[in-house]
């Protein structure tokens, strides 16, 4: 390590003292704690992000958020070049780095790690880190600490993208490393245009059924409500009413949000008995979780919850249906056949009734330990892998090889039988792969996919909720 680099790191770390008597651990959510003790940790994660970028020779992300936690908390996590979470192999080093008590111990850790990982720390190689934060008041000062950490690594550049949902940052990192346009307008354009394409492919007999196309969304007084206000203006066949947008003086995650709704099974603030019969949804604080609910007539507080397990079931049924149409033997003989392996991934938190229903529907169901990283890793082993936790966090992954085949198949069908049911199924699946956020669970893209599938099937929220009856359960913490 160059002397200039050593001095930079020593000076930078001396400006931020680690919290005394607190041991922080990097988990699925990164580091998370009361915002008042996080500056040193965020500063060091900035350094860690720069090292990760140098090691992978790719763009990485750094997100400042505490998701569904109370507003006085905050957190920080790294987005790997794939758009997924920081590789598990680096988590123990992240722990040691955050908890090193002196600048000398901190420098020694970095020196040893850089040598072991063969990270080029000579200032010749460049590193780029995309930064995002949610709407918490503590976010701005913590972002500055992250920037100082990044700038203490020679050749590292921080690009501040401002206030974003967590999934938007994940999407942008993935897009950037694929050579695509990685901006917020590009994100909105991709998901809204994919949604419009799916709407255009809704069967005519369903289009004429005059289904209610309004959804009322609880934005948890966070960043998701703010972004949904932008997105809803780009959609014509869906009316979105956003409540708890964060602009009306409400407190983030206080009696609102997907976590509150899913665990308490009561209406969030801003909803009441007047909302009986409406299709309602709730985002969490950083918009990576989504649950639906309806207000029954018998009570103004209790709700009928439609959780992540039922979102998973809806997505799985739709994908399976389109695959069945796609692989159906038509009159024309097409050589190009590829029977996609579709997998559904759950954890032990899934309601047993959902697992039984999925298996009875002919779907392959796999279980993993709790934690999004385990679900994501297993889903990636299928041609199409769908995972969801009951809390509303999940997504759909499509393998690159299968998508390449699907593109070719779509072109082939276009020449042989343009406008056929098979070609429409191919187009629907391609549109789903662009609408869904394949980097991470994304409440905004999942909301649009739920809405277009309900329109496609002509289902009300009540019909959807009747897919199966949840077994009695209660989650406490």
């Amino acid at each position: 390590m160059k002397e200039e680099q050593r001095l930079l790191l020593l000076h930078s770390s001396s400006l931020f003292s680690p919290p005394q008597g607190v041991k922080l651990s990097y988990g699925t959510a990164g580091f998370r704690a009361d915002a008042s003790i996080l500056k040193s940790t965020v500063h060091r994660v900035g350094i860690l992000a720069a090292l990760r970028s140098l090691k992978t020779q790719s763009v990485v992300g750094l997100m400042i958020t505490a998701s569904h936690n109370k507003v006085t908390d905050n957190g920080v996590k790294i987005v790997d070049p794939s758009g997924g979470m920081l590789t598990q192999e680096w988590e123990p080093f992240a722990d040691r780095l955050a908890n090193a008590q002196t600048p000398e111990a901190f420098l020694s850790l970095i020196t040893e790690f850089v040598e072991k990982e063969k990270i080029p720390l000579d200032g010749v190689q460049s590193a780029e880190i995309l930064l995002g934060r949610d709407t918490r008041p503590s976010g701005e000062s913590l972002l500055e600490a992250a920037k100082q950490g990044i700038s203490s690594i020679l050749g590292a550049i921080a690009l501040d993208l401002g206030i974003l949902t967590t999934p938007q940052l994940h999407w942008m990192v993935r897009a950037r490393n694929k050579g695509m346009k990685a901006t917020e307008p590009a994100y909105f354009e991709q998901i809204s245009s994919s949604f419009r394409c799916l709407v255009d492919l809704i069967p005519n007999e369903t289009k004429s059924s005059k289904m209610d196309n309004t959804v009322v969304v609880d934005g948890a007084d966070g960043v998701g409500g703010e972004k949904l206000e932008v997105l809803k203006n780009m959609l014509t066949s869906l009316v979105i009413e956003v409540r708890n947008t964060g602009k009306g003086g409400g407190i983030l995650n206080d009696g609102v949000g997907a976590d509150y709704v899913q665990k308490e099974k009561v209406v969030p603030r801003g909803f009441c008995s007047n909302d009986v019969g409406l299709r309602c949804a709730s985002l969490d604080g950083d918009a990576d979780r989504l649950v639906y609910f309806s207000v029954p007539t018998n009570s103004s507080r209790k709700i009928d919850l439609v959780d992540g397990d039922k979102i998973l079931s809806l997505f799985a049924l739709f994908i399976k249906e389109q695959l069945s149409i796609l692989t159906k033997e038509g009159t024309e003989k097409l050589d190009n056949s590829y029977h996609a392996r579709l997998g559904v991934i759950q954890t032990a938190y899934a309601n047993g009734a959902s697992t039984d229903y999925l298996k009875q529907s002919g779907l392959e169901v796999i279980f993993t330990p709790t934690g999004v990283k385990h679900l994501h890793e297993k889903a990636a082993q299928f041609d199409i892998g769908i995972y969801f936790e009951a809390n509303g966090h999940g997504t759909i992954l499509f393998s690159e090889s299968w998508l390449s085949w699907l593109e070719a198949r779509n072109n082939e069908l276009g020449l042989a039988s343009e406008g056929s049911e098979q070609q429409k199924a191919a187009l629907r699946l391609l549109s789903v792969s662009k609408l869904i956020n394949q980097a991470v669970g994304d409440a905004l893209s999942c909301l649009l996919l739920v809405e277009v599938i309900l329109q496609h099937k002509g289902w009300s929220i009540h019909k959807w909720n009747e897919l199966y009856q949840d077994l009695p359960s209660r989650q406490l913490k």
Side-chain angles (χ1 to χ4, degrees):
M1 191 189 296
K2 279 183 170 181
E3 186 60 23
E4 180 190 0
Q5 179 63 89
R6 287 173 56 82
L7 291 172
L8 254 177
L9 284 166
L10 271 172
H11 172 70
S12 184
S13 64
S14 67
L15 301 175
F16 296 91
S17 302
Q20 296 298 309
V22 179
K23 195 167 194 305
L24 294 167
S25 179
Y26 195 104
T28 300
F31 292 111
R32 206 174 276 185
D34 189 286
S36 63
I37 63 167
L38 272 180
K39 269 195 181 172
S40 162
T41 307
V42 173
H43 169 262
R44 292 175 179 194
V45 172
I47 292 168
L48 185 67
L51 295 178
R52 186 69 187 151
S53 179
L54 287 170
K55 168 71 179 179
T56 59
Q57 286 299 287
S58 303
V59 175
V60 306
L62 185 151
M63 184 70 195
I64 295 171
T65 181
S67 187
H68 53 275
N69 281 34
K70 59 189 177 185
V71 71
T72 51
D73 285 351
N74 217 323
V76 61
K77 62 179 178 179
I78 289 175
V79 180
D80 241 15
S82 65
M85 296 171 187
L86 175 68
T87 179
Q88 291 175 58
E89 284 76 24
W90 276 44
E91 287 182 12
F93 175 62
D95 289 353
R96 293 196 298 274
L97 202 63
N99 294 303
Q101 288 300 305
T102 66
E104 292 73 24
F106 169 76
L107 183 62
S108 173
L109 269 174
I110 291 179
T111 305
E112 183 188 323
F113 187 73
V114 162
E115 283 176 13
K116 180 171 83 75
E117 292 285 329
K118 299 183 172 56
I119 297 171
L121 207 58
D122 50 15
V124 176
Q125 303 281 1
S126 63
E128 189 172 345
I129 297 88
L130 307 184
L131 300 176
R133 63 184 172 93
D134 69 14
T135 54
R136 291 163 197 272
S138 57
E140 206 164 347
S141 63
L142 290 176
L143 194 82
E144 287 308 312
K147 285 180 182 174
Q148 284 185 264
I150 291 164
S151 64
S152 67
I153 296 293
L154 294 170
I157 299 160
L159 187 60
D160 183 359
L161 300 177
I163 291 175
L164 297 172
T165 70
T166 297
Q168 282 182 317
L169 184 69
H170 282 263
W171 184 92
M172 288 176 197
V173 170
R174 182 176 185 266
R176 186 62 184 277
N177 286 312
K178 281 175 161 283
M180 294 156 53
K181 200 169 183 183
T183 62
E184 190 174 20
Y187 165 87
F188 282 132
E189 178 51 39
Q190 179 167 316
I191 67 171
S192 60
S193 62
S194 303
F195 174 81
R196 286 193 295 271
C197 185
L198 283 162
V199 168
D200 290 342
L201 290 162
I202 291 172
N204 289 330
E205 57 271 24
T206 318
K207 276 182 184 170
S208 60
S209 65
K210 297 287 185 287
M211 182 196 148
D212 179 21
N213 69 340
T214 302
V215 60
V216 186
V217 184
D218 158 31
D221 281 315
V223 62
E226 189 177 299
K227 300 303 181 185
L228 205 49
E229 288 284 4
V230 178
L231 181 61
K232 74 177 191 179
N233 296 322
M234 302 175 75
L235 309 168
T236 51
S237 53
L238 179 64
V239 178
I240 302 175
E241 181 191 330
V242 191
R243 299 182 191 171
N244 305 323
T245 61
K247 302 296 185 193
I251 299 170
L252 174 73
N253 294 330
D254 182 25
V256 291
D259 191 61
Y260 173 79
V261 168
Q262 189 244 341
K263 287 189 173 61
E264 302 299 326
K265 295 183 174 65
V266 295
V267 292
R269 175 169 34 82
F271 290 74
C272 63
S273 55
N274 292 340
D275 298 316
V276 168
L278 299 180
R279 188 169 64 259
C280 305
S282 196
L283 319 177
D284 73 334
D286 67 337
D288 65 356
R289 293 183 184 184
L290 170 74
V291 296
Y292 272 73
F293 65 94
S294 61
V295 183
T297 52
N298 60 352
S299 162
S300 61
R301 287 289 290 156
K302 290 291 176 188
I303 58 164
D304 288 330
L305 177 69
V306 187
D307 64 4
D309 292 335
K310 283 206 169 130
I311 295 173
L312 167 65
S313 300
L314 184 72
F315 288 179
L317 286 180
F318 182 74
I319 297 282
K320 185 172 184 285
E321 180 184 280
Q322 301 314 308
L323 287 173
S324 298
I325 297 169
L326 185 64
T327 54
K328 197 187 295 177
E329 283 301 318
T331 50
E332 59 288 305
K333 288 288 175 194
L334 295 169
D335 304 331
N336 199 353
S337 62
Y338 185 144
H339 288 271
R341 189 177 172 215
L342 170 61
V344 175
I345 326 296
Q346 292 188 303
T347 73
Y349 276 105
N351 193 285
S354 72
T355 309
D356 291 343
Y357 174 77
L358 290 162
K359 286 180 176 176
Q360 285 160 16
S361 301
L363 290 151
E364 184 177 352
V365 183
I366 306 289
F367 279 87
T368 71
T370 306
V372 174
K373 54 190 164 191
H374 301 298
L375 289 155
H376 196 94
E377 189 180 312
K378 184 58 75 174
Q381 295 172 13
F382 290 84
D383 293 309
I384 306 172
I386 310 176
Y387 71 84
F388 258 87
E389 293 182 294
N391 63 26
H393 188 283
T395 191
I396 309 172
L397 303 185
F398 295 82
S399 74
E400 293 291 347
S401 59
W402 190 75
L403 282 177
S404 297
W405 172 83
L406 186 60
E407 289 275 10
R409 177 62 181 235
N410 179 51
N411 293 336
E412 191 178 295
L413 285 163
L415 293 170
S417 55
E418 190 172 1
S420 68
E421 287 308 308
Q422 282 180 299
Q423 195 201 16
K424 286 177 184 174
L427 286 169
R428 286 185 194 111
L429 289 165
L430 285 169
S431 296
V432 170
S433 75
K434 294 183 177 79
L435 169 54
I436 202 76
N437 188 337
Q438 292 190 57
V440 73
D442 182 339
L444 302 188
S445 72
C446 284
L447 178 88
L448 295 190
L449 186 52
V450 166
E451 289 299 318
V452 79
I453 294 174
L454 291 178
Q455 285 190 29
H456 179 95
K457 289 184 166 292
W459 284 4
S460 66
I461 189 170
H462 311 293
K463 171 117 177 158
W464 172 25
N465 200 25
E466 287 165 4
L467 282 179
Y468 58 83
Q469 194 70 41
D470 277 330
L471 296 172
S473 69
R474 181 156 177 78
Q475 187 178 336
L476 306 170
K477 69 174 181 180

